[in-house]
Amino acid sequence: MGNKQSNEKQMQESQISQNQSQLSSRDSQISSSNFTNNKIQKQVLLNQELIYPSSDDCPSKINVTLNGITFWSNYDSGNLSQVEQIEATTFNLSISEDCQGRIPPVQSNKGTRQWFNFKVVSVTDFQANFVIVNIATRFKKIWTNDSDIYVKINKIWSRYPAVYQGFQVKFSFEFKANQIVQFAYMPPWSYKKNQKFFDFYFSQLHPDIYFRRETIAYSLEGRNIELITITKNGPHEQQEYYCPEFLFPDKQQNESLIKFKKQYILISCRVHAGEVPASFILKGILESLQNYNESAKFLLENYVFLIIPMLNPDGVYRGHYRLDSLGYDQNRVYNRILKFPKFNGPLAVLETCKNYNVAFYIDLHAHSVLSNSFIYTNWHPDPSIHQAILEFPKQMKSKVAHFRIKEAMSTQINYEKNQYEIEGIYTEKEENIQKAPELKIHFTKENLVPQSMNDDCPYSINPYLTGVAKSDVYLTTQVMFSYTLEVNYRFYTKNKQVFKYEITDFITLGRDVIESLYSAHQNQDFIQIKQHLDSNILN
Ligand SMILES: [Zn+2]
């Protein structure tokens, strides 16, 4: 056992150094010897078994039996770190913080204890009381007196009542002998489930649809970061293309990738490991394309969908709430990608936007604090372009009862001044659009510490909010229509009433993404501005 673990560790370390040397060659000029090295390293990666972290590295994976009751979380996406029997029927449960809270100093993600996912079986019928004792206080808004968790019995997930009291989540359960019951923050969408989903999805597609599935990059721990390509078949529109150097590590030297003459819609998901509702939104998007209705047909005829369904598979496997295996929030590194080239998911997003003619980019997330569903986008100084950017969120607003328009901030980098210039934008107040240019905050590039702050700014702007995908895709690759779509895990409010989300609401939200993209293309003002932007970029 000890040997196996140390072997695993060695393999992991050697893989990390292989990854790093493979990636560091990006910064140097491409030479034939580099190319050969890359080829060898790619082959080594290919031949390696998938490396799972040992239990030493992964405190979220346990298997404990106390008086005939077994608790375990040592599986994909599981998270439970400790069980303590307090009374005959009462157990205190602890969950593991991402990377046990040992996170890099540039990150601001302390207290990521929210995601839990574990199984329990009792040898006898047994009434148990569970108390999750260390839920993070920073997400307390999501918990109320009638909060729910999720329970899986006989293969079916359903909501299950829990009480939030004194920063603890409490629930009781009546076990039948030998019945396995799974408890989780949300019905999990694990790394394996994600792979199985696409195995099945492929077999269900309309014959007119072109589908391709490949590994665009490997995660630090050697898991696949997959890229799915979906469009309407049309051989005349295809052209052969080279394989971008940093991506598609499994491709042979003489293989090239098909590049379509159409524009692309890039959708990414699960950069934050525990944000399962994002996977259900993606499921809705994919089902919509599969159903091949009028909207889907139009979009598939005119665009190629590129989908990266799991940007942070290591975090997902480890049962993290947010971070990767090194404790980084990968949605805060997009502006530092060359300094930390191990962020292969974000790198795949940026390189895809650089190598393909991407018109829309949508990054899918879930939110533990802000209610409802909403979109963050970027602010553009030209009002007509800004209106065109808002067309997709406005269409969402018109179709989705629980959607609210909420714009966040634009991020502009002034390389000459060596500064980030971040502008806070309005939330639902039209007049704040006018104010936007005054609401400027400066950060130096090196330390990301605010240099000056305008008191009128309606945001508490946090320097760590730089490096977000939707902003850096827009800044570095000129994809204007770049969005973060968010949905609260638990609830939305409407007419001052609070409603709980069902899983089906997330799936329907994904379908509405397709309908809204289609509807935007029925608006002539939007079409005109988009055509103008497309022709400028082409020129
Ligand atoms: Zn997120």
Side-chain angles (χ1 to χ4, degrees):
M1 189 68 187
N3 263 348
K4 190 174 169 245
Q5 280 187 2
S6 77
N7 280 345
E8 277 176 1
K9 268 210 155 132
Q10 278 170 10
M11 280 172 77
Q12 227 172 349
E13 277 160 17
S14 79
Q15 173 159 27
I16 288 167
S17 74
Q18 279 154 13
N19 273 351
Q20 282 170 342
S21 59
Q22 182 191 12
L23 295 163
S24 66
S25 68
R26 289 169 187 162
D27 297 336
S28 55
Q29 291 288 332
I30 304 162
S31 67
S32 58
S33 65
N34 264 343
F35 187 78
T36 313
N37 284 341
N38 275 345
K39 284 293 299 171
I40 293 165
Q41 283 155 3
K42 281 176 187 177
Q43 208 53 48
V44 169
L45 276 173
L46 257 180
N47 294 338
Q48 270 176 347
E49 276 182 49
L50 195 61
I51 298 164
Y52 290 107
S54 70
S55 55
D56 286 353
D57 300 325
C58 227
S60 57
K61 313 292 183 208
I62 60 163
N63 189 332
V64 177
T65 302
L66 295 173
N67 294 331
I69 305 183
T70 302
F71 300 77
W72 73 105
S73 60
N74 50 347
Y75 54 86
D76 187 350
S77 199
N79 185 343
L80 184 69
S81 67
Q82 215 181 323
V83 183
E84 215 181 332
Q85 190 164 14
I86 299 302
E87 292 166 14
T89 59
T90 304
F91 297 83
N92 280 357
L93 312 175
S94 301
I95 54 179
S96 175
E97 183 160 338
D98 296 2
C99 294
Q100 296 169 282
R102 292 197 300 259
I103 58 172
V106 293
Q107 299 283 297
S108 66
N109 278 288
K110 278 281 182 195
T112 46
R113 296 180 311 276
Q114 187 82 342
W115 176 259
F116 55 90
N117 172 10
F118 57 91
K119 296 178 189 177
V120 183
V121 68
S122 169
V123 291
T124 57
D125 288 2
F126 188 72
Q127 166 77 36
N129 303 312
F130 295 136
V131 184
I132 302 178
V133 294
N134 67 339
I135 286 280
T137 55
R138 63 182 283 208
F139 304 117
K140 62 185 176 214
K141 271 193 175 177
I142 200 115
W143 296 103
T144 58
N145 280 342
D146 69 339
S147 282
D148 292 323
I149 59 164
Y150 284 83
V151 172
K152 186 186 183 189
I153 308 164
N154 298 332
K155 298 188 175 174
I156 307 280
W157 280 101
S158 50
R159 275 212 303 249
Y160 192 79
V163 172
Y164 183 68
Q165 247 174 15
F167 306 121
Q168 295 183 329
V169 174
K170 301 177 181 180
F171 54 97
S172 301
F173 194 86
E174 211 172 314
F175 288 93
K176 292 196 175 75
N178 301 317
Q179 179 186 38
I180 294 174
V181 182
Q182 188 171 358
F183 299 90
Y185 182 54
M186 292 286 297
W189 187 290
S190 66
Y191 174 64
K192 253 182 226 155
K193 180 183 164 87
N194 194 60
Q195 292 189 314
K196 279 187 187 161
F197 175 85
F198 284 102
D199 292 347
F200 185 69
Y201 182 77
F202 170 61
S203 65
Q204 300 289 305
L205 283 173
H206 189 282
D208 279 2
I209 297 180
Y210 172 95
F211 176 90
R212 191 181 170 98
R213 177 184 181 186
E214 56 218 324
T215 300
I216 191 167
Y218 286 109
S219 70
L220 188 63
E221 292 181 331
R223 296 190 179 86
N224 289 341
I225 298 170
E226 291 196 282
L227 178 76
I228 309 295
T229 306
I230 306 172
T231 189
K232 186 168 185 296
N233 265 321
H236 307 301
E237 294 180 9
Q238 299 169 7
Q239 62 186 45
E240 290 299 304
Y241 189 56
Y242 68 95
C243 175
E245 191 219 346
F246 312 141
L247 306 181
F248 306 103
D250 296 356
K251 288 281 169 298
Q252 300 302 311
Q253 191 177 352
N254 58 356
E255 274 187 311
S256 59
L257 292 166
I258 293 165
K259 189 179 185 185
F260 290 80
K261 285 178 182 167
K262 301 175 197 178
Q263 287 192 312
Y264 288 76
I265 296 173
L266 174 64
I267 298 173
S268 58
C269 196
R270 300 294 290 279
V271 69
H272 292 145
E275 293 179 357
V276 169
S279 289
F280 288 110
I281 299 173
L282 183 59
K283 184 172 191 264
I285 291 172
L286 291 162
E287 283 178 358
S288 213
L289 296 178
Q290 191 179 43
N291 291 344
Y292 207 44
N293 67 3
E294 190 190 344
S295 314
K297 240 181 221 173
F298 172 87
L299 292 170
L300 288 165
E301 262 165 25
N302 289 282
Y303 293 97
V304 180
F305 282 81
L306 292 179
I307 289 158
I308 307 180
M310 200 164 269
L311 284 168
N312 178 13
D314 297 344
V316 171
Y317 172 79
R318 283 168 169 259
H320 284 182
Y321 178 60
R322 196 172 170 89
L323 309 178
D324 69 6
S325 59
L326 294 178
Y328 281 94
D329 180 339
Q330 292 199 356
N331 200 29
R332 299 293 182 272
V333 302
Y334 278 81
N335 54 354
R336 281 164 272 175
I337 219 88
L338 290 176
K339 284 191 186 173
F340 301 104
K342 53 186 153 301
F343 303 126
N344 281 2
L347 189 75
V349 168
L350 285 181
E351 288 300 318
T352 302
C353 290
K354 280 180 197 161
N355 283 283
Y356 298 85
N357 184 6
V358 174
F360 294 89
Y361 171 57
I362 307 171
D363 196 23
L364 305 176
H365 287 255
H367 215 290
S368 281
V369 179
L370 301 175
S371 73
N372 294 54
S373 56
F374 56 92
I375 281 175
Y376 291 114
T377 185
N378 299 300
W379 179 79
H380 196 283
D382 180 321
S384 60
I385 295 176
H386 192 65
Q387 284 309 310
I389 290 171
L390 288 184
E391 187 59 27
F392 169 55
K394 281 180 178 169
Q395 291 294 342
M396 289 291 284
K397 171 79 182 156
S398 75
K399 291 178 205 313
V400 183
H402 53 87
F403 187 86
R404 59 192 174 94
I405 292 269
K406 177 184 175 62
E407 285 181 275
M409 61 181 65
S410 70
T411 310
Q412 298 190 340
I413 300 174
N414 185 332
Y415 287 104
E416 272 176 30
K417 287 191 195 163
N418 201 28
Q419 282 178 336
Y420 290 92
E421 297 179 354
I422 296 180
E423 297 168 3
I425 310 299
Y426 74 104
T427 55
E428 289 163 343
K429 282 187 186 164
E430 199 71 27
E431 68 269 20
N432 277 348
I433 283 188
Q434 311 303 327
K435 276 193 197 167
E438 301 155 25
L439 307 175
K440 207 171 257 189
I441 294 173
H442 298 291
F443 302 109
T444 64
K445 218 181 205 174
E446 280 70 28
N447 56 17
L448 294 173
V449 169
Q451 298 297 293
S452 65
M453 197 170 282
N454 183 331
D455 290 340
D456 293 337
C457 180
Y459 287 89
S460 67
I461 289 191
N462 179 333
Y464 298 114
L465 285 178
T466 55
V468 172
K470 60 107 178 130
S471 299
D472 280 75
V473 158
Y474 165 77
L475 283 166
T476 60
T477 69
Q478 307 299 304
V479 177
M480 294 276 174
F481 303 105
S482 179
Y483 307 95
T484 307
L485 172 57
E486 298 268 7
V487 67
N488 189 277
Y489 281 87
R490 288 288 191 267
F491 67 94
Y492 62 96
T493 57
K494 194 158 177 61
N495 303 328
K496 296 190 177 165
Q497 274 188 288
V498 178
F499 299 90
K500 288 180 181 178
Y501 275 126
E502 301 288 343
I503 298 296
T504 48
D505 291 325
F506 303 137
I507 295 170
T508 307
L509 187 63
R511 293 182 177 173
D512 287 326
V513 167
I514 293 300
E515 295 306 321
S516 300
L517 284 171
Y518 171 71
S519 299
H521 288 79
Q522 310 307 306
N523 178 335
Q524 285 312 309
D525 293 343
F526 171 80
I527 293 292
Q528 264 182 11
I529 291 162
K530 184 173 175 297
Q531 280 171 349
H532 173 72
L533 288 170
D534 291 346
S535 63
N536 275 352
I537 288 167
L538 288 175
N539 294 338

